[in-house]
Amino acid sequence: MIFYGQPRFVLQCWHSIQNHIIDCNDTEIYIHTWIPNTLPDKRYQIADNHVGDSNFIESIFKCYKPQAIKIEQQKTFPDLVPPEHKHYSYNFILQSMMYSIREGWYLIDRSLHHYDCICFIRFDQIVWQPIIFTNESDTIHCQENHCNRFKDHLVYGDPRVMAWYANTLGFMCRLPKDNFTPEEVFESNLNDYGAKIQKHVWNNSIYRGQ
């Protein structure tokens, strides 16, 4: 299980993830996350009360006890974003998250451990029901209403297809965005690879704070 992206709401969400995913599967944890830069959008400030956890590194180790973790300065790709998309959220949300997914995969790839199933998940997921992983060949499992963009939030599959998933996003995060959308590139590569998308109606959601 690979946590990726910005470490928002670690303490608020870990209990539901522990109860409904980690405890329901024979799970080991890997994490790639970043120390956020100073962001103009206050919604993404780790120290802001909206996010609710300024000691996120301590919280991550306390809650998840990862097998391996990589924490670095946030990677952004401003030179690759066309002028009409220079607003910060476009660059921050898509490319930084794609990069984080790929780096999270590298942690498992370098560990030389064999796993039957790989799951990518964001820190800010609230999960209300047990999710049991299965590993049908070349099938990417994702949430029904989260299957836009590049199938983020919570996604899992067998190691072969998830390696393709992570490396495809790592490739996409460095491409100029002037002639395509992330959805178009993802779907095109998905079809070329021959993988399938299996959508599920899981009872989970993104935690937005109170």
Side-chain angles (χ1 to χ4, degrees):
M1 192 170 181
I2 303 171
F3 286 85
Y4 72 93
Q6 189 175 17
R8 292 190 287 169
F9 303 118
V10 175
L11 290 176
Q12 290 88 340
C13 298
W14 80 270
H15 192 67
S16 75
I17 295 173
Q18 179 77 42
N19 287 344
H20 295 119
I21 298 182
I22 296 174
D23 288 349
C24 297
N25 300 274
D26 183 11
T27 307
E28 292 185 338
I29 306 299
Y30 294 78
I31 293 172
H32 178 273
T33 188
W34 59 70
I35 299 171
N37 299 328
T38 300
L39 307 180
D41 189 334
K42 291 295 184 181
R43 293 176 300 166
Y44 302 122
Q45 290 284 6
I46 290 295
D48 189 271
N49 289 334
H50 177 80
V51 176
D53 185 15
S54 58
N55 299 317
F56 69 93
I57 296 178
E58 179 182 344
S59 298
I60 286 173
F61 279 96
K62 176 183 177 181
C63 295
Y64 292 115
K65 303 175 178 61
Q67 298 290 313
I69 184 170
K70 182 177 180 181
I71 303 172
E72 57 183 318
Q73 292 292 329
Q74 181 188 352
K75 291 288 193 300
T76 57
F77 306 87
D79 294 338
L80 302 182
V81 181
E84 64 270 23
H85 292 299
K86 284 297 184 182
H87 55 88
Y88 196 84
S89 62
Y90 182 92
N91 178 40
F92 170 78
I93 293 174
L94 292 182
Q95 293 171 294
S96 294
M97 290 176 66
M98 291 176 187
Y99 169 83
S100 187
I101 288 171
R102 195 273 311 275
E103 291 298 303
W105 168 256
Y106 283 171
L107 293 177
I108 285 186
D109 199 33
R110 293 164 185 155
S111 74
L112 303 180
H113 289 184
H114 173 75
Y115 296 102
D116 296 324
C117 187
I118 305 295
C119 172
F120 289 93
I121 186 171
R122 286 168 41 162
F123 288 97
D124 57 355
Q125 286 284 304
I126 291 287
V127 185
W128 301 105
Q129 70 179 64
I131 297 177
I132 308 299
F133 298 148
T134 57
N135 62 340
E136 298 91 338
S137 177
D138 294 336
T139 299
I140 296 175
H141 298 264
C142 66
Q143 169 81 353
E144 172 73 35
N145 62 346
H146 294 166
C147 288
N148 57 346
R149 289 191 177 173
F150 49 89
K151 326 306 181 200
D152 64 338
H153 297 192
L154 193 162
V155 57
Y156 74 85
D158 72 82
R160 181 169 173 264
V161 74
M162 297 315 290
W164 168 86
Y165 170 83
N167 287 318
T168 297
L169 296 185
F171 166 75
M172 287 168 56
C173 80
R174 297 184 179 278
L175 289 177
K177 302 295 187 292
D178 51 351
N179 295 319
F180 62 86
T181 66
E183 295 90 340
E184 291 170 343
V185 175
F186 187 88
E187 294 295 339
S188 174
N189 280 272
L190 182 75
N191 293 333
D192 291 344
Y193 178 77
K196 304 181 292 293
I197 296 291
Q198 177 66 52
K199 300 180 181 180
H200 299 269
V201 183
W202 293 320
N203 188 8
N204 65 297
S205 59
I206 298 296
Y207 184 80
R208 302 296 186 187
Q210 297 181 2

